[in-house]
Amino acid sequence: MSEQGERATFLEEEFGAHNYKPLPVVLTRGEGCWVWDVEGKSYLDMMGAYSAVSHGHAHPRIVARLTQQANRLSVVSRAYHTDQLGPFLQKACQLTGMERALPMNTGAEAVETALKAARKWAYKVKGVPEDKAEIIVCRGNFHGRTLTVISMSSEPQYRDGFGPFTPGFKLIPYGDSAALEKAITPNTAAFLVEPIQGEAGIVLPPEGYLKACETLCRRHNVLLICDEIQTGLGRTGKLLASMHESVKPDAITLGKALGGGILPVSLFMAKKEVMDVFKPGDHGSTFGGNPLACAVGLEALSVLIEEKLIENSAVLGAYFLEELKKIACPAVKSIRGKGLFIGVEFDLTMITAREVCLRLMKEGVLSKETHETVVRFAPALIITRELIDLAVIKIKKVFEEIAHEKRK
Ligand SMILES: *Cc1c(COP(=O)(O)O)cnc(C)c1O
């Protein structure tokens, strides 16, 4: 690494908390599907910032809208109306079929909002006795990092040393609708679920799972809340991943790509019956719904539709998956995904996912391991067939190298 690179990593190490373990590359610029390090080397970004960069880096339309709005009005708080909030929420509702939206900033905040809404709905609408509301979640879930959100987690590392935890959650296995039916009680407010578990390692539930969960939730007057922060906005080849099974959740959370790869923008969205439990003063966020975020969010949604990024995700995702499956590598245990949301699972006795990512990086392809075994590919949805072909050539080279070594 160059002196400049060494300096940058040293400063992070010295003055930063050590809560991440980045790959040893120092990035300084991005455009479309490409990023450059401080030495000027280019990389194909096949990670897309955990699906936050679905529009690619520095999308010209979104950057133009950002600068225009930044020069006009950025932050005034929700103490006032602005001309940007309404149109953004309207667009989000029109696209998703939800009736109302509440703007926050990060994904975790949108999930917190969902939990608060579900509890309040249980008490005020469903008639659950005070403080008895239960929310059912799945093992392997990832919904963010706040204390209440990690209180729902089944991942020991996310919880270790952070107790005591928020009560009121029930964990069930993912992909098992019978387990959901068993877990529901008269006090169940909601079932919160990712249509595909992202951080768990791109885990796809059995076909028909979400539909079965929807039926059960309707039958028992339980809210179905889909966390679409990572799976939403075209990532899996539909606007929402729940749309693959024509599921209509009572509420959803959106984030990540909603910020157009530029800002943190998130939404909790729901039908009126749920959202209307919030009265003035019940909940809020200083930055949530600020005009700059709304302008960027609205442009991000417009670009998604007008540039047909969802269709591109479906078509090129299927192509990419097919091409990956053609690569023979004995260290690969499984290759799975939907749209441009793909996970390659490695046999830990042969190689770690991090080692694979380090080798891909040397070839100019950026990815990141999820847990120890899964390498994820979630490039910007603007990616072309040519760039996928280029990525596949490089991925193939690395996989074949590994296969060759392991054969020895
Ligand atoms: C990333 C993610 C979150 C948390 O979003 P942050 O912006 O990091 O707080 C929540 N749910 C899912 C499914 C995610 O992938």
Side-chain angles (χ1 to χ4, degrees):
M1 202 182 272
S2 69
E3 207 173 302
Q4 195 188 355
E6 298 279 5
R7 177 93 189 133
T9 52
F10 166 77
L11 290 178
E12 281 189 20
E13 193 68 12
E14 184 63 20
F15 296 105
H18 299 167
N19 58 328
Y20 279 93
K21 192 181 174 205
L23 293 181
V25 57
V26 180
L27 301 176
T28 184
R29 190 164 77 85
E31 193 185 316
C33 293
W34 295 94
V35 287
W36 286 264
D37 70 11
V38 288
E39 277 120 73
K41 181 177 171 189
S42 61
Y43 301 83
L44 254 181
D45 182 1
M46 298 304 282
M47 229 280 282
Y50 300 94
S51 305
V53 180
S54 290
H55 302 76
H57 297 280
H59 191 289
R61 263 182 70 180
I62 302 174
V63 171
R65 188 68 192 88
L66 171 89
T67 45
Q68 182 197 38
Q69 187 63 37
N71 279 311
R72 200 178 156 88
L73 187 67
S74 293
V75 176
V76 291
S77 86
R78 295 289 303 276
Y80 316 99
H81 297 282
T82 70
D83 55 0
Q84 299 300 310
L85 179 58
F88 170 48
L89 302 184
Q90 179 189 34
K91 181 85 172 181
C93 287
Q94 281 171 348
L95 289 177
T96 58
M98 292 285 139
E99 289 177 315
R100 296 202 201 281
L102 192 159
M104 298 296 280
N105 312 285
T106 65
E109 289 173 316
V111 172
E112 289 270 350
T113 305
L115 299 173
K116 288 172 83 172
R119 283 183 170 185
K120 210 171 179 87
W121 172 85
Y123 302 129
K124 308 288 176 189
V125 180
K126 183 169 172 173
V128 171
E130 197 60 33
D131 286 347
K132 295 284 184 231
E134 298 164 351
I135 292 171
I136 301 171
V137 296
C138 292
R139 294 197 168 280
N141 74 69
F142 183 85
H143 299 292
R145 298 290 202 159
T146 63
L147 262 177
T148 289
V149 170
I150 62 162
S151 298
M152 309 187 283
S153 178
S154 60
E155 186 61 35
Q157 201 199 348
Y158 297 168
R159 299 166 57 95
D160 181 39
F162 298 131
F165 299 104
T166 305
F169 301 111
K170 245 189 207 175
L171 277 167
I172 60 168
Y174 185 60
D176 180 352
S177 56
L180 174 61
E181 178 144 50
K182 246 195 258 159
I184 292 173
T185 74
N187 292 339
T188 305
F191 174 49
L192 170 66
V193 65
E194 296 158 88
I196 293 173
Q197 286 189 332
E199 293 320 293
I202 324 288
V203 178
L204 283 79
E207 201 127 337
Y209 169 65
L210 208 58
K211 195 75 199 168
C213 292
E214 180 188 42
T215 306
L216 288 171
C217 286
R218 292 284 130 76
R219 191 181 301 153
H220 296 281
N221 194 24
V222 166
L223 300 177
L224 174 65
I225 307 176
C226 289
D227 183 345
E228 297 258 15
I229 289 168
Q230 192 156 176
T231 54
L233 304 181
R235 177 49 58 190
T236 72
K238 294 266 188 200
L239 178 76
L240 301 176
S242 47
M243 289 174 171
H244 285 289
E245 293 183 355
S246 306
V247 165
K248 181 108 204 298
D250 299 294
I252 60 169
T253 50
L254 292 178
K256 294 203 165 109
L258 189 58
I262 294 186
L263 286 178
V265 185
S266 68
L267 286 175
F268 167 65
M269 307 186 72
K271 58 182 185 183
K272 285 181 188 161
E273 182 191 300
V274 176
M275 194 67 89
D276 291 352
V277 300
F278 286 125
K279 303 288 182 243
D282 282 353
H283 184 58
S285 159
T286 304
F287 283 93
N290 71 74
L292 186 64
C294 291
V296 166
L298 176 54
E299 196 68 8
L301 290 174
S302 302
V303 166
L304 194 75
I305 303 303
E306 287 162 30
E307 297 190 359
K308 302 205 181 324
L309 301 188
I310 303 170
E311 292 84 341
N312 201 51
S313 174
V315 173
L316 291 187
Y319 173 69
F320 190 17
L321 190 65
E322 208 176 285
E323 292 299 300
L324 284 172
K325 283 181 173 169
K326 284 184 197 160
I327 306 173
C329 179
V332 171
K333 257 171 104 173
S334 105
I335 302 179
R336 57 199 180 231
K338 212 167 207 165
L340 284 166
F341 197 35
I342 295 173
V344 180
E345 185 174 350
F346 284 84
D347 180 346
L348 204 52
T349 63
M350 299 180 92
I351 195 161
T352 64
R354 185 172 175 91
E355 174 62 24
V356 177
C357 289
L358 285 166
R359 291 178 185 217
L360 286 170
M361 189 187 94
K362 290 205 184 87
E363 290 300 324
V365 172
L366 289 187
S367 180
K368 188 71 168 73
E369 76 274 13
T370 301
H371 298 286
E372 282 186 292
T373 52
V374 179
V375 174
R376 79 164 78 203
F377 295 111
L381 308 184
I382 58 162
I383 199 165
T384 59
R385 192 173 285 261
E386 290 68 35
L387 284 184
I388 290 203
D389 287 338
L390 182 65
V392 167
I393 289 170
K394 290 166 185 267
I395 293 166
K396 189 166 184 223
K397 184 171 172 215
V398 168
F399 284 17
E400 283 177 352
E401 249 170 45
I402 295 166
H404 185 71
E405 286 166 28
K406 300 300 160 188
R407 236 178 261 127
K408 274 188 210 158

